[in-house]
Amino acid sequence: MKIRLFSILAMAGVLLSSCAKGELLMDAESTWENGTANCYIVSGTGLYKFSTVKGNSSESVGAVSSAEVLWESFGTDVTPSVGDLVKNVSYSDGKITFQTADTFKEGNAVIAAKDASGNILWSWHIWFTDHPKGHVYFKKAGTMMDRNLGATSATPGDVGALGLLYQWGRKDPFLCSSSISSDVIAKSTGTWPSTVSSDASNGTIEYATANPTTFITCDSGNCDWYYTGDESTDNTRWTESDKAKSIYDPCPAGWRVPDGGENGVWSKPLGSSSDFYGDSLYDTLYDSTNGGINLTSKLGSASTIWYPASGCRDYTVGTLSTVGYRGHYWSASPNGYLAYSLDFVFYGFVYPSAYCCRALGNSVRCVKE
C-alpha cells in the first residue's frame, strides 16, 4: 500500500513505523516538513495520524476524549457514503488516527477532537488530492498553489477546481458548488446547522472554533462575523503582526494565506493595483465556457494559471451565490474593517486589490511560506 506525506514536499529520511496488517503509519511529528497545520493533504491510501495540537503550533487543543468525522464531500452532486474518504477514526495518547478508503478517492473531510462532554475542541481539514504544484509569480511576488484550497483539480471547466470557501479569519471550510455554473451546494455527509447572526455570544473565536460547520452572518457594525459592537475588529486572525501564520490560518504546512492590497501577491506581478480588462476593451480574460480566468502572462509564466469563478457565501444569509459569474479570493491583509481580495467578474474586469466584508465566504489560494 502506498503512503503519501501530509505536507506538500516530502522530507528526506522520514521514519515510518510499522503497524497492524503490514500497513505503515505516518507520524505527524516526523513527516510534516514545516510543522503542524489546520489542513493536511492525503494523496494515497493508508493509515495516518496527527497530534491534537492547534494548527501551526505545538499548543494542545485541550483534554481530548474522542475524535469524529464531521463531514465528507467529493465536491460534486454525488452524495458520498460515510467512509468513502476517511474511516476508522480514533483518538489515543495525544494523536488522532484515521484510515483512507481502500480505494483512494479525491475530496475533502473535516475531523474534530471532542472533550468528554462531546464539545468540539478543534477540527482539521483533510484534503484528499494529488500534490498541488507551485506557480512562481512575476517580480518575486511569491509561489502560489496551482489550485484553490480544497480543490482536487487545477483544470479549467472541472468542478473539482472550485475548492472550498472560507470566512475571513476562520480555519474551517464551507462547501462550494456542485457544478461550475450553479449555486447548488455540493453534496456531503454530516449535518450543516442553520446560520447564526454575529453577536457577543456567536461572533467570537471560541464559538467559531466550537462550531466549525456553522456560518456566522455579519455584524452590521463592522461587516464581520467577528463581533465587537462597533467598526473595530481583530486583524491577526490569519496573520500575526510579524507576518507569521496564526493558529487559524487554513493552509497546509509550508503554505499560508497570501498578502493582498497594493503590494500583494496579485498586484505586485502586474506592477499595479489598478483594475484591468484583458489586453484591450475587446479582449476579456474571462472564459465563459469554463467559468473563470486564466491569468498566465499576467501573474506568471505557467501555461495555465486558472482561477475559477467559485462565487461566494453571502455575508448576510450564508447562501451560495454567483458561481460561474464571479471569483473572490481572500488575502490575509486588512483594509480598515474590511480585507483585501482578488475579485473578477464575468464581463471581464479583474480587481487585484479589491476589498470585501470579512463575513463573506470566499475562496483561498495559498502562497508558499
Side-chain angles (χ1 to χ4, degrees):
M1 182 176 290
K2 293 182 178 179
I3 302 296
R4 299 294 189 271
L5 294 180
F6 276 139
S7 56
I8 300 299
L9 299 174
M11 287 182 67
V14 167
L15 297 177
L16 302 177
S17 59
S18 297
C19 62
K21 300 181 181 179
E23 294 169 318
L24 294 175
L25 188 64
M26 302 297 292
D27 189 333
E29 295 176 341
S30 63
T31 60
W32 299 339
E33 182 187 17
N34 294 294
T36 62
N38 292 310
C39 169
Y40 297 114
I41 295 175
V42 172
S43 297
T45 55
L47 288 171
Y48 299 85
K49 68 177 178 179
F50 57 90
S51 298
T52 50
V53 295
K54 297 177 180 180
N56 318 308
S57 79
S58 58
E59 180 183 352
S60 171
V61 302
V64 180
S65 177
S66 63
E68 178 183 323
V69 179
L70 298 184
W71 57 266
E72 304 169 66
S73 178
F74 299 136
T76 67
D77 58 3
V78 176
T79 304
S81 298
V82 172
D84 272 351
L85 291 171
V86 58
K87 60 183 181 179
N88 298 334
V89 176
S90 63
Y91 169 77
S92 179
D93 297 327
K95 299 181 187 298
I96 290 175
T97 302
F98 69 90
Q99 185 176 359
T100 65
D102 295 337
T103 300
F104 183 78
K105 298 175 183 177
E106 294 188 316
N108 295 276
V110 167
I111 296 175
K114 294 187 173 184
D115 65 16
S117 299
N119 301 308
I120 293 175
L121 298 171
W122 203 263
S123 47
W124 297 265
H125 166 211
I126 311 300
W127 185 7
F128 298 87
T129 186
D130 60 311
H131 287 301
K133 298 180 176 63
H135 287 158
V136 178
Y137 282 14
F138 295 140
K139 299 183 180 179
K140 299 181 179 180
T143 299
M144 294 285 283
M145 273 193 183
D146 66 345
R147 67 193 66 191
N148 291 353
L149 185 53
T152 57
S153 167
T155 303
D158 187 345
V159 66
L162 297 181
L164 299 167
L165 301 174
Y166 294 79
Q167 291 190 280
W168 194 93
R170 294 187 69 176
K171 64 183 178 60
D172 295 292
F174 292 89
L175 295 170
C176 194
S177 180
S178 59
S179 79
I180 65 169
S181 59
S182 78
D183 297 333
V184 178
I185 296 173
K187 301 294 186 182
S188 70
T189 63
T191 301
W192 296 87
S194 299
T195 60
V196 298
S197 300
S198 179
D199 58 25
S201 297
N202 299 330
T204 66
I205 296 291
E206 293 75 18
Y207 182 90
T209 301
N211 297 273
T213 56
T214 300
F215 192 94
I216 306 169
T217 60
C218 77
D219 167 37
S220 59
N222 60 6
C223 206
D224 198 341
W225 64 267
Y226 182 86
Y227 181 81
T228 62
D230 54 33
E231 290 189 359
S232 65
T233 189
D234 174 76
N235 292 326
T236 62
R237 279 170 275 167
W238 272 347
T239 306
E240 303 290 358
S241 57
D242 61 356
K243 297 296 184 182
K245 289 172 71 170
S246 80
I247 60 173
Y248 305 107
D249 184 296
C251 292
W255 302 80
R256 65 176 179 89
V257 181
D259 297 329
E262 294 183 0
N263 197 39
V265 72
W266 298 294
S267 296
K268 192 172 182 179
L270 298 165
S272 170
S273 60
S274 299
D275 313 336
F276 61 93
Y277 183 95
D279 294 320
S280 71
L281 182 61
Y282 304 101
D283 184 23
T284 175
L285 293 172
Y286 193 81
D287 181 342
S288 59
T289 299
N290 293 310
I293 55 174
N294 181 8
L295 289 174
T296 190
S297 78
K298 294 290 185 183
L299 299 182
S301 59
S303 59
T304 303
I305 301 178
W306 181 248
Y307 280 78
S310 305
C312 65
R313 291 290 190 111
D314 184 89
Y315 61 88
T316 60
V317 290
T319 55
L320 183 62
S321 66
T322 64
V323 176
Y325 294 94
R326 299 184 72 104
H328 306 269
Y329 287 77
W330 280 131
S331 80
S333 302
N335 178 13
Y337 59 80
L338 305 175
Y340 282 110
S341 62
L342 166 73
D343 287 11
F344 59 86
V345 291
F346 71 96
Y347 49 82
F349 274 102
V350 181
Y351 306 90
S353 188
Y355 39 90
C356 294
C357 172
R358 299 189 195 190
L360 276 170
N362 289 349
S363 301
V364 168
R365 182 72 60 99
C366 302
V367 66
K368 195 171 184 179
E369 287 190 283

